[in-house]
PDB file of all heavy atoms in Angstrom:
ATOM      1  N   ASN A 215       3.664 -10.125   6.008  1.00 87.00           N
ATOM      2  CA  ASN A 215       4.611 -11.121   5.538  1.00 87.00           C
ATOM      3  C   ASN A 215       5.364 -10.629   4.305  1.00 87.00           C
ATOM      4  O   ASN A 215       6.341 -11.268   3.847  1.00 87.00           O
ATOM      5  CB  ASN A 215       3.885 -12.405   5.187  1.00 87.00           C
ATOM      6  CG  ASN A 215       4.835 -13.565   5.016  1.00 87.00           C
ATOM      7  OD1 ASN A 215       5.662 -13.801   5.887  1.00 87.00           O
ATOM      8  ND2 ASN A 215       4.788 -14.216   3.885  1.00 87.00           N
ATOM      9  N   GLU A 242       0.184 -14.715  13.236  1.00 90.00           N
ATOM     10  CA  GLU A 242      -0.623 -14.631  12.015  1.00 90.00           C
ATOM     11  C   GLU A 242       0.065 -13.645  11.071  1.00 90.00           C
ATOM     12  O   GLU A 242       0.874 -12.824  11.493  1.00 90.00           O
ATOM     13  CB  GLU A 242      -2.017 -14.117  12.344  1.00 90.00           C
ATOM     14  CG  GLU A 242      -2.818 -15.020  13.264  1.00 90.00           C
ATOM     15  CD  GLU A 242      -3.249 -16.312  12.557  1.00 90.00           C
ATOM     16  OE1 GLU A 242      -3.231 -16.360  11.335  1.00 90.00           O
ATOM     17  OE2 GLU A 242      -3.603 -17.275  13.274  1.00 90.00           O
ATOM     18  N   SER A 243      -0.297 -13.745   9.775  1.00 89.00           N
ATOM     19  CA  SER A 243       0.312 -12.790   8.871  1.00 89.00           C
ATOM     20  C   SER A 243      -0.673 -12.291   7.815  1.00 89.00           C
ATOM     21  O   SER A 243      -1.708 -12.929   7.585  1.00 89.00           O
ATOM     22  CB  SER A 243       1.518 -13.369   8.196  1.00 89.00           C
ATOM     23  OG  SER A 243       1.137 -14.599   7.617  1.00 89.00           O
ATOM     24  N   ASP A 248      -3.592  -5.749   1.681  1.00 86.00           N
ATOM     25  CA  ASP A 248      -4.794  -6.420   2.086  1.00 86.00           C
ATOM     26  C   ASP A 248      -5.762  -5.401   2.693  1.00 86.00           C
ATOM     27  O   ASP A 248      -5.339  -4.399   3.254  1.00 86.00           O
ATOM     28  CB  ASP A 248      -4.486  -7.475   3.163  1.00 86.00           C
ATOM     29  CG  ASP A 248      -4.068  -8.795   2.566  1.00 86.00           C
ATOM     30  OD1 ASP A 248      -4.013  -8.865   1.324  1.00 86.00           O
ATOM     31  OD2 ASP A 248      -3.781  -9.726   3.315  1.00 86.00           O
ATOM     32  N   ASP A 250      -9.186  -6.711   4.040  1.00 87.00           N
ATOM     33  CA  ASP A 250     -10.130  -7.371   4.925  1.00 87.00           C
ATOM     34  C   ASP A 250      -9.392  -8.291   5.889  1.00 87.00           C
ATOM     35  O   ASP A 250      -8.744  -9.241   5.471  1.00 87.00           O
ATOM     36  CB  ASP A 250     -11.165  -8.187   4.134  1.00 87.00           C
ATOM     37  CG  ASP A 250     -12.279  -8.658   5.013  1.00 87.00           C
ATOM     38  OD1 ASP A 250     -12.048  -9.517   5.870  1.00 87.00           O
ATOM     39  OD2 ASP A 250     -13.392  -8.164   4.837  1.00 87.00           O
ATOM     40  N   ALA A 253     -11.354 -12.269   9.035  1.00 88.00           N
ATOM     41  CA  ALA A 253     -11.198 -13.714   9.267  1.00 88.00           C
ATOM     42  C   ALA A 253     -10.141 -13.934  10.361  1.00 88.00           C
ATOM     43  O   ALA A 253     -10.383 -14.639  11.323  1.00 88.00           O
ATOM     44  CB  ALA A 253     -10.803 -14.389   7.972  1.00 88.00           C
ATOM     45  N   THR A 256     -11.125 -12.529  13.805  1.00 90.00           N
ATOM     46  CA  THR A 256     -12.077 -13.343  14.502  1.00 90.00           C
ATOM     47  C   THR A 256     -11.362 -14.508  15.232  1.00 90.00           C
ATOM     48  O   THR A 256     -11.654 -14.887  16.351  1.00 90.00           O
ATOM     49  CB  THR A 256     -13.135 -13.934  13.535  1.00 90.00           C
ATOM     50  OG1 THR A 256     -13.751 -12.865  12.849  1.00 90.00           O
ATOM     51  CG2 THR A 256     -14.183 -14.769  14.233  1.00 90.00           C
ATOM     52  N   ARG A 257     -10.350 -15.064  14.528  1.00 90.00           N
ATOM     53  CA  ARG A 257      -9.532 -16.096  15.098  1.00 90.00           C
ATOM     54  C   ARG A 257      -8.768 -15.601  16.328  1.00 90.00           C
ATOM     55  O   ARG A 257      -8.709 -16.225  17.373  1.00 90.00           O
ATOM     56  CB  ARG A 257      -8.552 -16.626  14.037  1.00 90.00           C
ATOM     57  CG  ARG A 257      -7.851 -17.865  14.400  1.00 90.00           C
ATOM     58  CD  ARG A 257      -7.025 -18.344  13.231  1.00 90.00           C
ATOM     59  NE  ARG A 257      -5.703 -18.733  13.683  1.00 90.00           N
ATOM     60  CZ  ARG A 257      -5.456 -19.903  14.302  1.00 90.00           C
ATOM     61  NH1 ARG A 257      -6.406 -20.754  14.480  1.00 90.00           N
ATOM     62  NH2 ARG A 257      -4.226 -20.183  14.667  1.00 90.00           N
ATOM     63  N   LYS A 277      -6.559  -0.212   9.178  1.00 91.00           N
ATOM     64  CA  LYS A 277      -7.743  -1.034   8.943  1.00 91.00           C
ATOM     65  C   LYS A 277      -7.802  -2.153   9.938  1.00 91.00           C
ATOM     66  O   LYS A 277      -8.907  -2.513  10.388  1.00 91.00           O
ATOM     67  CB  LYS A 277      -7.670  -1.597   7.513  1.00 91.00           C
ATOM     68  CG  LYS A 277      -7.917  -0.506   6.473  1.00 91.00           C
ATOM     69  CD  LYS A 277      -7.694  -1.012   5.092  1.00 91.00           C
ATOM     70  CE  LYS A 277      -7.721   0.207   4.135  1.00 91.00           C
ATOM     71  NZ  LYS A 277      -7.065  -0.092   2.873  1.00 91.00           N
ATOM     72  N   GLU A 284     -14.072  -2.866  16.021  1.00 87.00           N
ATOM     73  CA  GLU A 284     -15.488  -3.017  15.643  1.00 87.00           C
ATOM     74  C   GLU A 284     -16.028  -4.391  16.076  1.00 87.00           C
ATOM     75  O   GLU A 284     -17.181  -4.529  16.407  1.00 87.00           O
ATOM     76  CB  GLU A 284     -15.655  -2.890  14.134  1.00 87.00           C
ATOM     77  CG  GLU A 284     -15.808  -1.431  13.698  1.00 87.00           C
ATOM     78  CD  GLU A 284     -15.634  -1.290  12.211  1.00 87.00           C
ATOM     79  OE1 GLU A 284     -15.607  -2.290  11.502  1.00 87.00           O
ATOM     80  OE2 GLU A 284     -15.519  -0.132  11.763  1.00 87.00           O
ATOM     81  N   GLN A 301      -2.078   9.690   8.422  1.00 84.00           N
ATOM     82  CA  GLN A 301      -3.166   8.946   7.781  1.00 84.00           C
ATOM     83  C   GLN A 301      -3.710   7.859   8.700  1.00 84.00           C
ATOM     84  O   GLN A 301      -4.860   7.421   8.527  1.00 84.00           O
ATOM     85  CB  GLN A 301      -2.690   8.288   6.476  1.00 84.00           C
ATOM     86  CG  GLN A 301      -2.535   9.247   5.310  1.00 84.00           C
ATOM     87  CD  GLN A 301      -1.192   9.926   5.313  1.00 84.00           C
ATOM     88  OE1 GLN A 301      -0.405   9.794   6.269  1.00 84.00           O
ATOM     89  NE2 GLN A 301      -0.888  10.657   4.267  1.00 84.00           N
ATOM     90  N   GLU A 304      -6.822   9.020  10.301  1.00 86.00           N
ATOM     91  CA  GLU A 304      -7.918   9.121   9.314  1.00 86.00           C
ATOM     92  C   GLU A 304      -8.529   7.776   9.025  1.00 86.00           C
ATOM     93  O   GLU A 304      -9.728   7.606   8.922  1.00 86.00           O
ATOM     94  CB  GLU A 304      -7.362   9.647   8.008  1.00 86.00           C
ATOM     95  CG  GLU A 304      -7.219  11.145   7.904  1.00 86.00           C
ATOM     96  CD  GLU A 304      -6.645  11.520   6.536  1.00 86.00           C
ATOM     97  OE1 GLU A 304      -7.066  10.946   5.523  1.00 86.00           O
ATOM     98  OE2 GLU A 304      -5.738  12.375   6.499  1.00 86.00           O
TER      99      GLU A 304
ATOM    100  N   TYR B  30     -17.955 -19.782  16.219  1.00 86.00           N
ATOM    101  CA  TYR B  30     -16.786 -19.346  15.459  1.00 86.00           C
ATOM    102  C   TYR B  30     -17.010 -19.564  13.962  1.00 86.00           C
ATOM    103  O   TYR B  30     -16.749 -18.683  13.134  1.00 86.00           O
ATOM    104  CB  TYR B  30     -15.592 -20.147  15.960  1.00 86.00           C
ATOM    105  CG  TYR B  30     -14.276 -19.843  15.305  1.00 86.00           C
ATOM    106  CD1 TYR B  30     -13.623 -18.605  15.531  1.00 86.00           C
ATOM    107  CD2 TYR B  30     -13.667 -20.724  14.435  1.00 86.00           C
ATOM    108  CE1 TYR B  30     -12.428 -18.294  14.950  1.00 86.00           C
ATOM    109  CE2 TYR B  30     -12.460 -20.433  13.856  1.00 86.00           C
ATOM    110  CZ  TYR B  30     -11.828 -19.203  14.105  1.00 86.00           C
ATOM    111  OH  TYR B  30     -10.653 -18.924  13.505  1.00 86.00           O
ATOM    112  N   GLN B  34     -17.282 -16.694  11.036  1.00 89.00           N
ATOM    113  CA  GLN B  34     -16.388 -16.690   9.882  1.00 89.00           C
ATOM    114  C   GLN B  34     -17.189 -16.736   8.561  1.00 89.00           C
ATOM    115  O   GLN B  34     -16.808 -16.158   7.570  1.00 89.00           O
ATOM    116  CB  GLN B  34     -15.394 -17.825   9.930  1.00 89.00           C
ATOM    117  CG  GLN B  34     -14.373 -17.712  11.055  1.00 89.00           C
ATOM    118  CD  GLN B  34     -13.363 -16.601  10.852  1.00 89.00           C
ATOM    119  OE1 GLN B  34     -13.614 -15.646  10.129  1.00 89.00           O
ATOM    120  NE2 GLN B  34     -12.239 -16.707  11.489  1.00 89.00           N
ATOM    121  N   ASN B  37     -18.286 -13.283   7.900  1.00 89.00           N
ATOM    122  CA  ASN B  37     -17.138 -12.546   7.338  1.00 89.00           C
ATOM    123  C   ASN B  37     -16.931 -12.879   5.875  1.00 89.00           C
ATOM    124  O   ASN B  37     -16.683 -12.008   5.038  1.00 89.00           O
ATOM    125  CB  ASN B  37     -15.862 -12.884   8.101  1.00 89.00           C
ATOM    126  CG  ASN B  37     -15.870 -12.403   9.544  1.00 89.00           C
ATOM    127  OD1 ASN B  37     -16.607 -11.497   9.864  1.00 89.00           O
ATOM    128  ND2 ASN B  37     -15.053 -13.015  10.388  1.00 89.00           N
ATOM    129  N   GLN B 143      -0.918   8.818  -1.934  1.00 77.00           N
ATOM    130  CA  GLN B 143      -1.132   8.362  -0.590  1.00 77.00           C
ATOM    131  C   GLN B 143      -2.561   7.957  -0.353  1.00 77.00           C
ATOM    132  O   GLN B 143      -3.486   8.499  -0.932  1.00 77.00           O
ATOM    133  CB  GLN B 143      -0.779   9.459   0.418  1.00 77.00           C
ATOM    134  CG  GLN B 143       0.669   9.853   0.293  1.00 77.00           C
ATOM    135  CD  GLN B 143       0.975  11.099   1.068  1.00 77.00           C
ATOM    136  OE1 GLN B 143       0.184  11.484   1.920  1.00 77.00           O
ATOM    137  NE2 GLN B 143       2.103  11.686   0.763  1.00 77.00           N
ATOM    138  N   GLY B 146      -8.062   8.646   4.163  1.00 85.00           N
ATOM    139  CA  GLY B 146      -9.111   8.024   4.995  1.00 85.00           C
ATOM    140  C   GLY B 146     -10.478   8.444   4.467  1.00 85.00           C
ATOM    141  O   GLY B 146     -10.708   9.583   4.101  1.00 85.00           O
ATOM    142  N   LYS B 153     -21.637   2.666  11.879  1.00 77.00           N
ATOM    143  CA  LYS B 153     -21.568   1.206  11.962  1.00 77.00           C
ATOM    144  C   LYS B 153     -22.230   0.787  13.292  1.00 77.00           C
ATOM    145  O   LYS B 153     -21.828   1.237  14.344  1.00 77.00           O
ATOM    146  CB  LYS B 153     -20.132   0.760  11.926  1.00 77.00           C
ATOM    147  CG  LYS B 153     -19.718   0.252  10.571  1.00 77.00           C
ATOM    148  CD  LYS B 153     -18.371  -0.388  10.631  1.00 77.00           C
ATOM    149  CE  LYS B 153     -17.779  -0.404   9.234  1.00 77.00           C
ATOM    150  NZ  LYS B 153     -16.435  -0.913   9.164  1.00 77.00           N
ATOM    151  N   GLN B 155     -23.218  -2.587  15.533  1.00 81.00           N
ATOM    152  CA  GLN B 155     -23.023  -4.043  15.650  1.00 81.00           C
ATOM    153  C   GLN B 155     -24.322  -4.676  16.137  1.00 81.00           C
ATOM    154  O   GLN B 155     -24.929  -4.214  17.113  1.00 81.00           O
ATOM    155  CB  GLN B 155     -21.909  -4.370  16.680  1.00 81.00           C
ATOM    156  CG  GLN B 155     -20.551  -3.893  16.251  1.00 81.00           C
ATOM    157  CD  GLN B 155     -19.911  -4.820  15.234  1.00 81.00           C
ATOM    158  OE1 GLN B 155     -20.411  -5.906  14.971  1.00 81.00           O
ATOM    159  NE2 GLN B 155     -18.825  -4.363  14.658  1.00 81.00           N
ATOM    160  N   TYR B 238     -14.006  -0.539   4.019  1.00 87.00           N
ATOM    161  CA  TYR B 238     -12.580  -0.495   4.386  1.00 87.00           C
ATOM    162  C   TYR B 238     -12.140   0.919   4.184  1.00 87.00           C
ATOM    163  O   TYR B 238     -11.707   1.295   3.078  1.00 87.00           O
ATOM    164  CB  TYR B 238     -11.766  -1.433   3.528  1.00 87.00           C
ATOM    165  CG  TYR B 238     -12.380  -2.822   3.446  1.00 87.00           C
ATOM    166  CD1 TYR B 238     -12.863  -3.318   2.262  1.00 87.00           C
ATOM    167  CD2 TYR B 238     -12.423  -3.608   4.607  1.00 87.00           C
ATOM    168  CE1 TYR B 238     -13.405  -4.604   2.221  1.00 87.00           C
ATOM    169  CE2 TYR B 238     -12.963  -4.858   4.577  1.00 87.00           C
ATOM    170  CZ  TYR B 238     -13.460  -5.357   3.380  1.00 87.00           C
ATOM    171  OH  TYR B 238     -14.002  -6.610   3.348  1.00 87.00           O
ATOM    172  N   SER B 240     -10.497   3.568   3.307  1.00 87.00           N
ATOM    173  CA  SER B 240      -9.417   4.357   2.734  1.00 87.00           C
ATOM    174  C   SER B 240      -9.499   4.258   1.219  1.00 87.00           C
ATOM    175  O   SER B 240     -10.022   3.282   0.672  1.00 87.00           O
ATOM    176  CB  SER B 240      -8.053   3.885   3.255  1.00 87.00           C
ATOM    177  OG  SER B 240      -7.585   2.797   2.484  1.00 87.00           O
ATOM    178  N   SER B 288      -3.269 -18.151   7.188  1.00 80.00           N
ATOM    179  CA  SER B 288      -3.514 -16.860   6.551  1.00 80.00           C
ATOM    180  C   SER B 288      -2.557 -16.629   5.368  1.00 80.00           C
ATOM    181  O   SER B 288      -2.860 -15.909   4.445  1.00 80.00           O
ATOM    182  CB  SER B 288      -3.425 -15.729   7.550  1.00 80.00           C
ATOM    183  OG  SER B 288      -2.362 -15.904   8.436  1.00 80.00           O
ATOM    184  N   LEU B 289      -1.369 -17.264   5.429  1.00 80.00           N
ATOM    185  CA  LEU B 289      -0.411 -17.094   4.333  1.00 80.00           C
ATOM    186  C   LEU B 289      -0.871 -17.711   3.034  1.00 80.00           C
ATOM    187  O   LEU B 289      -0.489 -17.331   1.956  1.00 80.00           O
ATOM    188  CB  LEU B 289       0.908 -17.736   4.711  1.00 80.00           C
ATOM    189  CG  LEU B 289       1.946 -16.837   5.356  1.00 80.00           C
ATOM    190  CD1 LEU B 289       3.206 -17.617   5.594  1.00 80.00           C
ATOM    191  CD2 LEU B 289       2.221 -15.653   4.459  1.00 80.00           C
ATOM    192  N   ARG B 291      -3.935 -17.864   1.887  1.00 85.00           N
ATOM    193  CA  ARG B 291      -5.250 -17.384   1.430  1.00 85.00           C
ATOM    194  C   ARG B 291      -5.313 -17.085  -0.061  1.00 85.00           C
ATOM    195  O   ARG B 291      -6.141 -17.642  -0.751  1.00 85.00           O
ATOM    196  CB  ARG B 291      -5.600 -16.107   2.230  1.00 85.00           C
ATOM    197  CG  ARG B 291      -6.982 -15.638   2.058  1.00 85.00           C
ATOM    198  CD  ARG B 291      -7.076 -14.206   2.440  1.00 85.00           C
ATOM    199  NE  ARG B 291      -6.092 -13.510   1.618  1.00 85.00           N
ATOM    200  CZ  ARG B 291      -5.596 -12.322   1.945  1.00 85.00           C
ATOM    201  NH1 ARG B 291      -5.957 -11.712   3.037  1.00 85.00           N
ATOM    202  NH2 ARG B 291      -4.703 -11.728   1.147  1.00 85.00           N
TER     203      ARG B 291
END
Side-chain angles (χ1 to χ4, degrees):
Chain A
N215 195 54
E242 299 289 342
S243 53
D248 274 0
D250 190 292
T256 303
R257 191 175 135 78
K277 290 173 190 160
E284 276 166 11
Q301 284 86 352
E304 278 179 41
Chain B
Y30 181 71
Q34 292 291 23
N37 292 339
Q143 299 169 17
K153 260 190 201 175
Q155 294 282 350
Y238 311 114
S240 84
S288 42
L289 266 183
R291 190 201 55 202

